[in-house]
């Protein structure tokens, strides 16, 4: 009697490794060491120091030039250490350009533009991000398309419009054309698309809240980080704006940048006094950034981790 034995050939196919209990299968696809915190090396500190010094050097040179005389600033070997004429140059710039009135006008213009931009851009961004209505895509495309139009093309019709209204030479002619910006609408829309879930809006409606209540109690708290960033960018842009205020305002009622232009309008301007005026115009921005810097950086980082 013959006995036949069957031998099974070994299976060389790769057998998938069973996941360890409590371990996510997706996590095993990362390379060893993924997610580990990396420490900066000497090259990173050197690069950061160079970038930091390069960013601070213009401000430091403004301080040095504002504390020197005209001859010292224009010397072939300009000084690199502050001198002793700072307060005299600051006083001269303050009196020659009437910077007191210019600063008040600039604060009014910048604050009005910033508050209006935050209000209107947040409402428009919420509507484009979370509300459904006909023509939403077309309107958003038109808003984005306005960013491609050079602002110089609208100077003549805008100037004629302000003159017809009777706002020629007044602060209203600088404030009202910039109460809302296309960039602000697009920025707030993109932020609220990711940061504001529909469930919060539906929960508010189930509680009986109308649209204004939803905006006040839900949308504004969620949009606060983005509003801080947009507010800072808008305030800096309005504070440093020169082109349109120079055309719309007169020399007796200027903003700060227009007043600084008067310091350098003479045949031989005193560069030390001009730098002193520039230093005065820069200090309020530094104060604003020191006060709200933590919230602004937090808003930028909050928007960076969305999605």
């Amino acid at each position: 009697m013959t006995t036949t034995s069957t031998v099974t050939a070994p299976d060389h196919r790769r057998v998938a490794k069973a996941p360890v209990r409590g371990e996510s299968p997706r996590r095993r696809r990362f390379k060893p060491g993924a997610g580990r915190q990396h420490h900066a090396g000497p090259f990173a500190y050197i690069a950061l120091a160079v970038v930091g010094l390069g960013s601070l050097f213009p401000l430091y040179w403004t301080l040095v030039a504002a504390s020197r005389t005209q001859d010292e600033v224009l010397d072939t070997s300009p000084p690199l250490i502050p001198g002793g004429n700072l307060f005299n140059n600051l006083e001269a710039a303050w009196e020659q350009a009437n910077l007191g009135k210019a600063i008040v006008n600039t604060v009014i213009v910048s604050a009005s533009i910033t508050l209006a931009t935050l209000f209107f851009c947040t409402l428009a961004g919420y509507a484009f991000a979370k509300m459904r209505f006909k023509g939403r895509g077309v309107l958003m495309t038109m808003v984005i398309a306005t960013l491609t139009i050079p602002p110089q093309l609208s100077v003549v019709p805008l100037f004629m419009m302000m003159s017809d209204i009777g706002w020629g030479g007044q602060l209203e002619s600088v404030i009202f054309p910039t109460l809302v910006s296309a960039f602000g609408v697009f920025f707030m829309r993109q932020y609220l698309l990711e940061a504001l879930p529909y469930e919060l809006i539906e929960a508010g409606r189930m509680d009986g809240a109308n649209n204004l209540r939803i905006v006040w109690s839900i949308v504004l708290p969620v949009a606060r980080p983005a509003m801080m960033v947009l507010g800072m960018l808008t305030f800096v842009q309005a504070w440093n704006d020169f082109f349109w205020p120079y055309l719309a305002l007169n020399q007796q009622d200027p903003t700060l940048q227009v007043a600084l232009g008067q310091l350098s309008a003479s045949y031989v301007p005193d560069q030390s006094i001009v730098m002193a005026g520039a230093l005065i115009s820069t200090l309020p921005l530094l104060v604003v950034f020191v006060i709200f810097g933590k919230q602004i950086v937090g808003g930028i980082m909050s928007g960076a981790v969305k999605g």
Side-chain angles (χ1 to χ4, degrees):
M1 183 175 180
T2 305
T3 304
T4 304
S5 60
T6 304
V7 179
T8 304
D11 190 0
H12 295 285
R13 292 177 300 177
R14 174 178 291 184
V15 179
K17 181 181 178 182
V20 181
R21 185 177 181 181
E23 179 183 4
S24 174
R26 183 178 180 183
R27 185 177 181 182
R28 292 186 292 104
R29 293 200 298 265
F30 290 98
K31 296 180 180 180
R36 185 181 301 171
Q37 185 176 5
H38 299 280
H39 297 281
F43 178 77
Y45 286 105
I46 294 175
L48 291 175
V50 171
V51 173
L53 292 176
S55 302
L56 293 176
F57 181 76
L59 181 61
Y60 177 75
W61 169 246
T62 302
L63 175 62
V64 172
S67 61
R68 296 284 183 167
T69 61
Q70 170 82 335
D71 296 335
E72 292 174 337
V73 173
L74 300 180
D75 194 6
T76 55
S77 57
L80 297 178
I81 300 176
N85 295 328
L86 177 61
F87 294 101
N88 294 332
N89 293 334
L90 291 177
E91 183 179 0
W94 187 276
E95 295 177 354
Q96 292 181 18
N98 194 12
L99 294 183
K101 187 175 184 180
I103 290 177
V104 173
N105 291 340
T106 307
V107 170
I108 295 174
V109 170
S110 301
S112 301
I113 293 175
T114 301
L115 293 177
T117 299
L118 291 179
F119 178 74
F120 291 117
C121 290
T122 303
L123 292 181
Y126 165 67
F128 282 118
K130 298 299 179 180
M131 299 183 70
R132 298 290 183 263
F133 54 91
K134 292 183 178 180
R136 184 182 66 167
V138 176
L139 291 176
M140 191 65 215
T141 303
M142 294 175 61
V143 171
I144 298 175
T146 58
L147 295 173
T148 64
I149 301 176
Q152 292 80 5
L153 295 179
S154 61
V155 167
V156 175
L158 187 59
F159 185 85
M160 296 175 62
M161 185 184 301
M162 294 297 105
S163 299
D164 294 338
I165 297 176
W167 288 349
Q170 301 181 14
L171 296 179
E172 290 85 350
S173 61
V174 179
I175 296 174
F176 277 87
T178 52
L179 288 181
V180 64
S181 65
F183 169 77
V185 174
F186 176 75
F187 180 80
M188 296 304 302
R189 173 187 177 272
Q190 295 301 113
Y191 182 85
L192 291 175
L193 276 175
E194 298 291 340
L196 181 61
Y198 282 102
E199 290 77 7
L200 287 179
I201 302 175
E202 294 299 329
R205 290 174 179 171
M206 292 180 62
D207 290 340
N210 55 19
N211 287 330
L212 292 179
R213 182 66 178 179
I214 291 175
V215 170
W216 180 260
S217 301
I218 299 177
V219 177
L220 292 183
V222 172
R224 187 176 303 168
M227 292 174 66
M228 293 296 298
V229 177
L230 180 60
M232 182 64 185
L233 296 176
T234 304
F235 185 84
V236 172
Q237 181 179 3
W239 186 276
N240 294 327
D241 191 14
F242 172 78
F243 180 66
W244 174 242
Y246 181 77
L247 299 176
L249 301 177
N250 52 48
Q251 302 297 327
Q252 289 73 31
D253 196 23
T255 56
L256 187 56
Q257 305 304 323
V258 178
L260 292 179
Q262 300 176 9
L263 291 176
S264 57
S266 59
Y267 186 74
V268 183
D270 192 332
Q271 296 298 328
S272 61
I273 297 179
V274 173
M275 289 297 180
L279 185 63
I280 294 175
S281 67
T282 307
L283 290 179
L285 294 180
L286 295 178
V287 172
V288 171
F289 186 79
V290 168
I291 296 176
F292 300 102
K294 184 177 180 180
Q295 291 81 356
I296 294 168
V297 174
I300 296 175
M301 297 305 298
S302 176
V305 299
K306 294 296 179 182

